[in-house]
């Protein structure tokens, strides 16, 4: 039993606040009017196998998910995009009597992909009075003590020039770490540096990066980059705290790279994977349909390495010739280059180094192949008003199956006239709608395609969802578990939101963060509870006389029954549980519980642990026992039974 602190549960008139170790006597609580329900679980009659990949994740560049989120790059607008107001996120700051100007040079850059640069004209500067440019990061730049930051930039200079790079506190103006590059050459070249902080530094996000120039002349800069230590210390890698949060959900796959992000608003803005691999300086980046640009620093290989780091499989969505502003590619000859792109992409993921794209992957630093079972053709093609998906899907399906017969192909909307291995269904609903729809798949034809619920979420609460949403989610998950013979995968969406004003395009997200920390919504914790407590077989059950907002699912494996109980109403629900067919039942059971005093209760960046799972022990468990599920709660009982 773990020591827990539990927040109050509103029951009737009062709020009960308790803390410390919890022990619950089965059936000890009283039930509000409504009666005692009966739940019979047929423990010896498993109905079907649970899909081992039932719970996964879905991702795309939305809400500053990668740039300003998971992708650990600390510098914002490292590629110097400009607006009429200047270069976004960069500030020119002459110190003392330094003088100079900054502009975008649209005709000079270090590569064919990055054809522009920041041009700094230093009219007057010296070591005590440098001309500086500042970058404040993604709504802040986190600096921690005793940490090594790895940086680089591309530069060239007309005339002798040196650069001092520093991390500086916004609050005190103190330099927290610095490095000097004594001379820049006349041609474009990459310069690397490290910034090491001392033990005295206070962890904070109120910092910025400064590049200081001490000699008159002209300097061109591009791809100014700074990384903290990353998850598994991958160069160009991901934030460790956000990766650990994902690992905490026990996911089995990652659906990538979208979502709308796969399609783009226009065909030219699709996720064009070949432009997202190789050295960063060769990635032009692109505009996402969520209205900001991606540098594509987190490109195809980085998605795959993200999967590798979490020991999960990618579910690869390939661009299928439809973009969101009603642009489509005609099936047939016009579509062929896109089909070939998808085949090349699959080869990049799975081909050994003797293949063209497998060799390219090895050149990019990853000789080993990645596992791949599922390929999704497009995203939400029901929105394509040209109705071209049937033919586009068929063309992709046939070409992929011909070369990769073992791959399972996912259709994004029902296809006429062609086999679908798996169909991707999306649901964004309110909690009450999910409560009403938990039996959605109970009668689905078992001879049709398997189901992938590739996007789903209860949309209540912002920026991250509240406890009421978690109740809707949990109810829906009981339905998915009971039908996990046909539902092979599911993934909540969207997964991430940067909580700073202006960063969010989609309210109601699973995890929130700023440059300093990350937190999970109640929905995040509900997902982890369901995913970590999942058996291998579905146990059929029969629920009688329960309130209409009460839901359950039961699975088992290796002598453990995982019983999930969701009470979406404010009043407790007493239930008689009959474990029919069990010959012996251990009298104590582990209970993991997530509850809140109201549906509006939530977690936030400043109050990240208001609603978290609480572990306790239930006593008096038997073949027949009574248990009370408090109002507004999600419970998982682990019952040892033979
Ligand atoms: O999850 C947000 C968006 O919802 C996805 O990009 C899209 O597929 C869906 O419409």
């Amino acid at each position: 039993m773990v020591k827990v602190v539990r927040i109050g549960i509103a029951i009737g008139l009062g709020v009960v606040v308790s803390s410390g170790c919890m022990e619950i006597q089965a059936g000890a609580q009283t039930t509000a009017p409504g009666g005692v329900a009966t739940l019979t679980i047929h423990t010896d009659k498993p109905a079907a196998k649970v899909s081992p990949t039932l719970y996964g994740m879905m991702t795309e560049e939305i809400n500053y998910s990668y740039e300003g989120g998971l992708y650990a790059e600390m510098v914002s607008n490292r590629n110097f995009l400009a607006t009429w107001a200047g270069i976004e996120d960069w500030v020119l700051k002459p110190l003392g009597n330094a003088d100079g100007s900054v502009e975008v040079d649209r005709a000079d850059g270090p590569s064919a992909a990055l054809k522009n640069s920041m041009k700094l004209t230093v009219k007057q500067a010296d070591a005590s009075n440098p001309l500086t440019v500042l970058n404040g990061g993604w709504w802040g730049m986190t600096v921690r003590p005793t940490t090594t930051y790895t940086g680089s930039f591309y530069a060239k200079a007309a005339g002798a020039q040196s650069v001092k790079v520093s991390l500086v506190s916004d609050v005190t103006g103190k330099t927290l770490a610095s490095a000097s590059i004594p001379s820049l050459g006349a041609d474009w070249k990459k310069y690397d540096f490290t910034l090491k902080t001392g033990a005295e530094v206070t962890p904070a996000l109120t910092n910025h990066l400064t590049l200081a120039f001490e000699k008159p002349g002209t300097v061109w800069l591009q791809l100014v980059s700074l990384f903290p230590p990353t998850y598994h210390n991958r160069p160009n890698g991901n934030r460790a705290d956000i990766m650990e949060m994902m690992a905490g959900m026990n996911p089995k796959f990652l659906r990538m790279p979208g979502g709308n992000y796969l399609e783009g608003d226009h065909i030219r803005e699709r996720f064009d994977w070949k432009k997202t691999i190789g050295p960063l300086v060769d990635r032009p980046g692109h505009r996402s349909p969520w209205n900001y640009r991606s540098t594509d620093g987190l490109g195809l290989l980085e998605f795959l390495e993200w999967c590798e780091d979490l020991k999960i499989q990618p579910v690869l969505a390939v661009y299928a010739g439809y973009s969101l502003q009603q642009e489509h590619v005609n099936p047939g000859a016009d579509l062929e280059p896109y089909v070939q792109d998808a085949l090349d992409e699959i080869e990049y993921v799975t081909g050994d180094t003797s293949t063209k794209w497998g060799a390219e992957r090895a050149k990019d630093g990853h000789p080993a192949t990645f596992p791949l079972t599922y390929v999704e053709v497009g995203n939400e093609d029901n929105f394509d008003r040209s109705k071209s998906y049937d033919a586009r899907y068929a063309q992709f399906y046939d070409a992929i199956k011909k070369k990769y017969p073992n791959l399972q192909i996912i259709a994004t909307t029902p296809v006429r006239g062609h086999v679908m291995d798996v169909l991707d269904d999306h649901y964004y609903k309110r909690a009450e709608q999910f409560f009403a729809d938990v039996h959605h798949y109970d009668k689905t034809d078992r001879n049709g395609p398997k189901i992938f619920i590739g996007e789903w979420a209860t949309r209540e609460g912002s920026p991250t969802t509240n406890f009421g949403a978690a109740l809707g989610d949990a109810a829906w998950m009981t339905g998915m578990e009971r039908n996990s013979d046909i539902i092979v995968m599911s993934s909540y969406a969207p997964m991430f939101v940067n909580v700073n004003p202006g960063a969010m395009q989609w309210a109601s997200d699973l995890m929130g963060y700023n440059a300093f920390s990350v937190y999970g919504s109640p929905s995040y914790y509900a997902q982890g509870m369901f995913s970590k407590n999942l058996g291998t077989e579905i146990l059929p059950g029969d629920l009688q006389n329960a309130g209409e907002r009460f839901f359950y699912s039961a699975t088992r494996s290796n002598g453990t029954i995982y019983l999930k109980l969701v009470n979406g109403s404010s009043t407790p629900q007493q239930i008689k549980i009959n474990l029919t067919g069990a010959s012996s039942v251990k009298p104590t059971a582990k209970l993991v519980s997530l509850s809140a005093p109201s549906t509006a209760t939530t977690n936030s960046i400043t109050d990240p642990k208001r609603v978290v799972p609480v572990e306790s022990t239930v006593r008096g468990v038997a073949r027949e026992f009574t248990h009370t599920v408090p109002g507004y709660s999600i419970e998982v009982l682990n019952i040892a039974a033979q």
Side-chain angles (χ1 to χ4, degrees), residues 46-63:
K49 297 269 184 228
V50 172
S51 168
T53 52
L54 183 59
Y55 294 112
M57 304 185 296
M58 183 269 173
T59 187
E60 65 175 317
E61 183 58 279
I62 183 174
N63 301 326

Side-chain angles (χ1 to χ4, degrees), residues 58 60 62 255 258-261 263 290 379-380 383 426 428 455 493-494 506:
M58 183 269 173
E60 65 175 317
I62 183 174
R255 174 178 175 237
N260 291 357
Y261 186 58
E263 305 160 274
W290 300 104
N379 177 60
E380 293 188 342
F383 288 113
H426 293 180
Y428 292 107
E455 292 180 30
W506 184 281

Side-chain angles (χ1 to χ4, degrees), residues 26 58 90 94 108 154 188 223 250 261 267 277 438 587:
M58 183 269 173
W90 288 89
D108 202 350
Y154 284 78
W188 281 107
L223 224 169
N250 189 34
Y261 186 58
I267 295 172
I277 57 171
V438 288

